[in-house]
Amino acid sequence: MKYRHSVAQSADYLRMAVKRMTQQDAGLHPISYAIWYEYVASLNPELQAAIDRRLKEHGKLDDESTCALFHKHVAELDAKTALRIGDSVSHLVDQVSESAGHAGDQASRFGSSLETWIDTLLPPDGVADLAPGLQDILRGTRAMQQAIGTLQEKLDDSSRQAQQLKEEVARAREEALLDGLTGLVNRKGFDHAITACLQQEPTPFPGPCLMMIDVDRFKRINDTHGHLFGDRVLARIGEILRANVKGKDTAARFGGEEFAVILPETPRGGALGLAETLRALVAASRVTNGTRDELLIGNITVSIGVADHVAGESATALVTRADRALYAAKAQGRNRVALAPRPQTEAAK
C-alpha cells in the first residue's frame, strides 16, 4: 500500500487536494481527487511535473486532461505492478509444473519397477505358496503401487492447475496492456510493441512504419454532444482499427483522442494506403448519440501522420516525426494523411 499517511496527515492532504480541485474545470470526482491527493502529498514526481506543465500551458485541468493524467500516472502504476507480479508468478508456475512433471515421471518408473518385481516374486501357484514374510512384502508392494498411482493422479492434476494458472496470469498481463474503452492496446502496450519492433534483427522487409492518428476537433465534439458521445466516437474508431489492423501490426490508443498503428513490415507506400483507408472509413462512419431518439451523427474525421523508420532512429524520434506529420495534416485542413519527411542526414544520401 502506497498511502501510509496518518489520519492527521490525510486530513491535511484532503484540504489541500479539495482546494486544488475546486480551482479546476474538472468535476469533483474520485479520479480528480486521486491525482490531486498524490500531487499535494508529493507521492508521484512524474504526475506533479505533468500537472505543472498542463497548468502552465492551459491554466486549468478539465475532465479530459484529468482522466488522461490519472490513467497515465496513477492507474498505470498498478498495471506496471501487475506486469511484474505476472512475470514472477509465471516463473513460479513453470518451476512447479516442471517439478510435478519430473516427480510424475519418477513415480511412473517406480510403479513399473514394482509391477515387474511382483511378477518375479509371485510363484506360479499364487500368494498362498509364499512364506509369510514374503506375503507381507507383496502386500506392502501392492499398497505402494496403489499409492504411486494416486500420487501420479495428483501430480497430473497439479500440472493441469499450474498450466491453468499460467494461462490466467497471461490473460491478466494482456488485460493490463489493454485500453478498456477501445479494446486496443494502451500506451504501456504501445511502448512495449514499438520497443520490440525496433529491437528486431534487420529483415528483407521494408519498414517499420508508424501512424499517429488524432480525432479532429474532439473538444468540439465533447462540448456539442457530451463526453459520453465522445467515448462512443473513440470506441467506434477502436472498432475500425481492430477490424483493419491485422497480423503483426499493432493498433494502440496512444492517449486521449490520439491513436497509433505500428506496421513492422510495411513500406511507406503501403502505410500511406492503409492510412487513407482508415481515414475514409472514419469519415464514412456514423455514431449514435445514445439518447432515446438514437440519432446518427456523422462528420467525424481524423488526421493521420505517417513516418517510416530509418536505421538507428530511436522510438522517441520516430514517434516525434509521425506526430509532426499528424499536425501538418491538421494544418493542411484536417481529414487527411501526411507523410513525415525523413531526417536531413538520411534524405541527403
Side-chain angles (χ1 to χ4, degrees):
M1 179 177 174
K2 60 180 176 177
Y3 303 115
R4 299 183 181 275
H5 305 123
S6 67
V7 174
Q9 285 178 312
S10 298
D12 286 339
Y13 293 144
L14 168 64
R15 285 190 289 270
M16 288 189 285
V18 170
K19 181 179 179 180
R20 291 277 192 166
M21 290 166 65
T22 57
Q23 296 170 349
Q24 313 307 316
D25 289 333
L28 303 180
H29 44 66
I31 289 179
S32 181
Y33 179 68
I35 69 166
W36 284 111
Y37 185 96
E38 295 209 1
Y39 181 93
V40 299
S42 299
L43 290 174
N44 194 330
E46 290 185 4
L47 172 65
Q48 285 179 292
I51 289 178
D52 289 340
R53 284 196 301 272
R54 177 77 189 187
L55 294 177
K56 184 177 180 180
E57 294 172 2
H58 302 280
K60 295 181 179 181
L61 299 184
D62 55 15
D63 272 318
E64 182 184 342
S65 58
T66 296
C67 290
L69 287 165
F70 174 81
H71 287 296
K72 183 174 181 180
H73 296 286
V74 179
E76 187 63 30
L77 295 177
D78 292 335
K80 291 176 183 177
T81 302
L83 293 177
R84 285 197 297 271
I85 293 173
D87 289 338
S88 299
V89 172
S90 291
H91 181 64
L92 178 61
V93 167
D94 283 339
Q95 289 181 323
V96 170
S97 182
E98 183 180 352
S99 297
H102 182 63
D105 291 341
Q106 288 187 324
S108 179
R109 285 196 295 271
F110 185 44
S112 298
S113 297
L114 289 176
E115 184 69 37
T116 302
W117 191 53
I118 289 173
D119 292 341
T120 303
L121 188 64
L122 192 64
D125 295 332
V127 177
D129 290 342
L130 285 176
L134 289 178
Q135 290 182 25
D136 290 341
I137 293 174
L138 183 58
R139 281 193 293 270
T141 300
R142 282 178 168 163
M144 177 64 74
Q145 193 175 27
Q146 290 177 350
I148 289 294
T150 302
L151 174 62
Q152 181 69 57
E153 291 177 2
K154 290 182 177 180
L155 289 171
D156 289 342
D157 186 55
S158 295
S159 183
R160 283 192 296 271
Q161 290 181 14
Q163 184 59 36
Q164 182 179 356
L165 177 59
K166 186 175 181 179
E167 290 171 359
E168 289 173 358
V169 168
R171 269 198 305 274
R173 179 188 179 93
E174 182 178 340
E175 288 171 2
L177 299 175
L178 288 180
D179 175 63
L181 177 62
T182 64
L184 305 174
V185 300
N186 59 19
R187 175 60 183 275
K188 188 70 177 178
F190 170 84
D191 290 341
H192 278 290
I194 193 72
T195 299
C197 176
L198 298 186
Q199 286 177 345
Q200 290 179 351
E201 294 292 328
T203 68
F205 300 100
C209 284
L210 174 67
M211 288 184 213
M212 297 300 292
I213 306 169
D214 192 79
V215 184
D216 294 327
R217 297 188 172 91
F218 189 67
K219 187 177 185 305
R220 181 186 298 178
I221 292 173
N222 278 335
D223 291 343
T224 303
H225 303 289
H227 288 276
L228 289 179
F229 179 78
D231 285 348
R232 286 172 177 256
V233 169
L234 298 177
R236 176 59 183 146
I237 293 173
E239 290 176 6
I240 292 172
L241 291 177
R242 291 200 312 273
N244 293 276
V245 178
K246 302 288 188 180
K248 296 181 180 179
D249 302 338
T250 300
R253 186 179 178 189
F254 193 76
E257 69 271 22
E258 193 167 10
F259 299 83
V261 177
I262 304 169
L263 305 166
E265 297 177 355
T266 302
R268 56 180 170 177
L272 286 170
L274 177 59
E276 184 58 36
T277 297
L278 296 174
R279 183 207 62 76
L281 286 170
V282 173
S285 67
R286 299 292 181 270
V287 181
T288 61
N289 62 357
T291 65
R292 187 166 54 186
D293 297 332
E294 286 292 328
L295 297 177
L296 289 173
I297 298 173
N299 297 322
I300 298 162
T301 63
V302 294
S303 298
I304 305 178
V306 178
D308 57 330
H309 182 255
V310 297
E313 186 176 30
S314 68
T316 301
L318 179 61
V319 170
T320 298
R321 285 201 299 119
D323 220 31
R324 287 174 180 167
L326 163 63
Y327 284 97
K330 286 185 176 291
Q332 293 164 15
R334 298 182 176 85
N335 190 24
R336 63 191 64 216
V337 176
L339 176 65
R342 292 190 166 197
Q344 197 64 37
T345 54
E346 180 70 14
K349 292 181 180 179

